[in-house]
Amino acid sequence: MKKTFFHVSLLAALMLMPATMIAQSDVSAELAAQNTPDGWTAVALPSIPTITDANTMSIVSYGATEESADNTAAIQAALNAVPDEGGMVVIPAGTWLCGPIKLKARTVLHLKAGATLKLLPFGQYPGTVGNITKSVSLQDFITPADNNASDLIIEGESKETSVIEGQGSDWWRLRDEMAAAWNYIKRGAVIRFTTSAQRFLVRNLRIQNAPGVNIAAGKSGKGSNCTIHDVVIREPDSTLPFRPAENSFPSHNTDGIPVWTDHVNIYNCDISNGDDNVVMDSQAQYVHVWDCQFGTGHGASFGSYTQHMHDIIYENLTFDGTDSGFRLKSQRGRSGSVYNLTMRNCTMKNVNNPISIDAWYDGRPSSPASAAVKDSTATTPYFHDILIQNVTSTGTPYKSSYKSNFAINIFGLPESHVRNVTFDNVKVEAAKGMFLAYCDGIKFINGCKITNTKNPSKLIETEYKANYTGSFDGSTTDGVAAPTASTMSTANAYDLSGRMVARNTTVSTVSKLSPGIYILGGKKIAVGRK
């Protein structure tokens, strides 16, 4: 990182400060950790005045008790009492039942160590009382109060004992016991930043057993500039058997962190759940996810709604027992041009679908040859300019399905091929080879190796209208796009968005830039992490 000296200097300065100067509104650690990719604008952080006794409210002072069956009014009264200039509401150690609450601008919601903020149970949560015989959209649990409610911090003192408990099992069991009610209910998120407000921070806490989504960053492009770090998310795997007598409840649609807006940082999170661990949805732009651990769940995902999506980086992630690794999914009517996506420096173990790029989210044809051609529109998926770099995956099991468990799956549309995907030093061991259909400009460089553990000679299971270059048997460590010393005359260098990054330069100079893909003299140059 080019910012290493700055980061170390800032952290050293913080260590010399008296402890009383570091208040709960302090964001200097987040500033030091930002890790902004070159060419991107840094994610803006909340700005809240220093927290003092005068602007700190305890929910107990407003009538909250551990014995109460519903502390919503008391906790909301404490939040309403925060001065307009800013302040903090404290959730003490203990268990506090509560319904939906809203935060005004410049508020810190602080969970002490040992504090559990527990959602009201199904049947008491607003919208779930009585028989459910028609569609109902339930309120999110914690949200900004209005379009002016910017600069919010939701934090804990411990990511193990500062807990938001969703009591989700009674919601999930509807799917198996009351399918009609399940289909009517549109569950809210535990935390959702939905308004035109911005600058949000969630840090150092645990969310478990969410009825649905855990933390939603934005909605329809609103709610930008989110930072989420050191958060633990836990829900059961969606593949668990439904056995109430054994307290076995699969969770469904419990996305960890879906992103529907621009400028988001997510790091140091540990997520195991019943749907996408982290997922980019429409309007996700300039999103950086790093240093996270994924267990059960559907992986580092994109879609299925992928309109206006570009410039996303997943890096330094570990996957263990996750259903998918890199998973780009959409369909006709939900997408458009999707580009500048990167996954790098990741390790996967026992992942069913290590790398999947699929334009057939609903209704994958039984074979590429049978795929129907349709007119291309503004919402037709067009996936292009994607880099998968320094990724290792082992332990993908065999499954006879024509839809899954391939070492690499790329399935574009007849009218809109997947284009310009670079695999750089990617090594995948799986019990099936690759599926490549309706794709062009696929490059394997720098020692890529696909290993079919069941049938070693079959590195490609299905190939149909697929154009690729390079080798993927580990036989070579050089690639057509790898930066090397060159006698090429100088030229201007551009990133994949068309922005000039260097004037009159050479391959040697470009190879020293930050990791990414660059265009020099009409050729792509892939630059890895130093």
Side-chain angles (χ1 to χ4, degrees), residues 490-504:
T490 61
N492 296 334
Y494 300 86
D495 63 19
L496 291 178
S497 69
R499 182 180 64 90
M500 185 187 296
V501 295
R503 187 182 299 275
N504 296 327

Side-chain angles (χ1 to χ4, degrees), residues 157-218:
E157 292 182 359
S158 165
K159 59 184 178 181
E160 294 302 327
T161 68
S162 298
V163 178
I164 301 177
E165 166 63 55
Q167 302 206 81
S169 60
D170 282 343
W171 304 70
W172 310 326
R173 68 190 301 163
L174 291 178
R175 184 175 183 270
D176 295 279
E177 293 182 338
M178 299 175 63
W182 171 264
N183 291 330
Y184 282 136
I185 289 177
K186 298 179 181 178
R187 293 160 292 165
V190 173
I191 299 171
R192 191 189 301 272
F193 303 118
T194 59
T195 67
S196 296
Q198 56 180 319
R199 298 183 299 279
F200 306 113
L201 171 60
V202 182
R203 61 185 175 187
N204 206 39
L205 52 76
R206 178 185 179 99
I207 300 176
Q208 62 189 30
N209 300 320
V213 168
N214 286 267
I215 305 172

Side-chain angles (χ1 to χ4, degrees), residues 216-441:
K219 183 178 182 180
S220 302
K222 297 179 180 179
S224 64
N225 289 284
C226 297
T227 300
I228 303 165
H229 72 87
D230 289 280
V231 172
V232 174
I233 292 175
R234 289 289 185 272
E235 283 87 35
D237 189 352
S238 61
T239 63
L240 284 178
F242 177 69
R243 294 174 181 162
E246 301 173 17
N247 199 32
S248 176
F249 298 97
S251 75
H252 302 283
N253 308 114
T254 50
D255 295 86
I257 307 175
V259 178
W260 297 82
T261 191
D262 62 280
H263 292 90
V264 178
N265 281 340
I266 301 168
Y267 57 96
N268 292 345
C269 292
D270 181 351
I271 303 174
S272 291
N273 60 350
D275 210 304
D276 296 315
N277 299 75
V278 174
V279 57
M280 304 299 128
D281 286 291
S282 292
Q283 308 290 339
Q285 302 171 11
Y286 305 106
V287 182
H288 194 183
V289 183
W290 72 96
D291 291 350
C292 293
Q293 301 174 37
F294 295 162
T296 62
H298 297 175
S301 298
F302 307 80
S304 65
Y305 294 93
T306 56
Q307 291 180 282
H308 310 293
M309 179 186 292
H310 59 82
D311 292 280
I312 315 291
I313 299 175
Y314 285 108
E315 64 179 330
N316 300 333
L317 310 181
T318 61
F319 301 76
D320 189 351
T322 317
D323 182 72
S324 297
F326 178 99
R327 185 188 185 204
L328 171 54
K329 59 187 189 292
S330 195
Q331 66 183 56
R332 296 174 176 121
R334 293 187 179 184
S335 192
S337 179
V338 179
Y339 58 95
N340 289 1
L341 310 182
T342 299
M343 169 176 272
R344 61 189 176 213
N345 305 327
C346 296
T347 302
M348 305 178 192
K349 182 172 67 173
N350 303 325
V351 171
N352 290 332
N353 303 283
I355 299 167
S356 180
I357 302 172
D358 199 323
W360 299 91
Y361 181 61
D362 281 348
R364 178 175 173 130
S366 58
S367 70
S370 66
V373 181
K374 294 190 177 182
D375 291 337
S376 183
T377 71
T379 57
T380 297
Y382 174 37
F383 304 149
H384 60 103
D385 296 296
I386 298 169
L387 173 65
I388 312 293
Q389 183 179 57
N390 301 332
V391 172
T392 300
S393 179
T394 59
T396 297
Y398 180 79
K399 189 174 182 180
S400 60
S401 171
Y402 67 93
K403 297 181 179 181
S404 68
N405 290 63
F406 298 102
I408 293 173
N409 172 65
I410 303 178
F411 198 171
L413 297 170
E415 70 274 16
S416 182
H417 289 201
V418 174
R419 299 185 189 278
N420 302 335
V421 180
T422 298
F423 294 93
D424 179 353
N425 187 33
V426 172
K427 296 176 171 62
V428 181
E429 294 180 5
K432 285 163 67 172
M434 297 186 289
F435 184 107
L436 305 175
Y438 299 117
C439 54
D440 300 312

Side-chain angles (χ1 to χ4, degrees), residues 478-498:
D478 61 345
V480 295
T484 59
S486 173
T487 58
M488 178 193 297
S489 59
T490 61
N492 296 334
Y494 300 86
D495 63 19
L496 291 178
S497 69

Side-chain angles (χ1 to χ4, degrees), residues 450-459:
I450 304 300
T451 302
N452 186 332
T453 57
K454 187 173 186 289
N455 187 350
S457 65
K458 199 171 186 180
L459 301 186

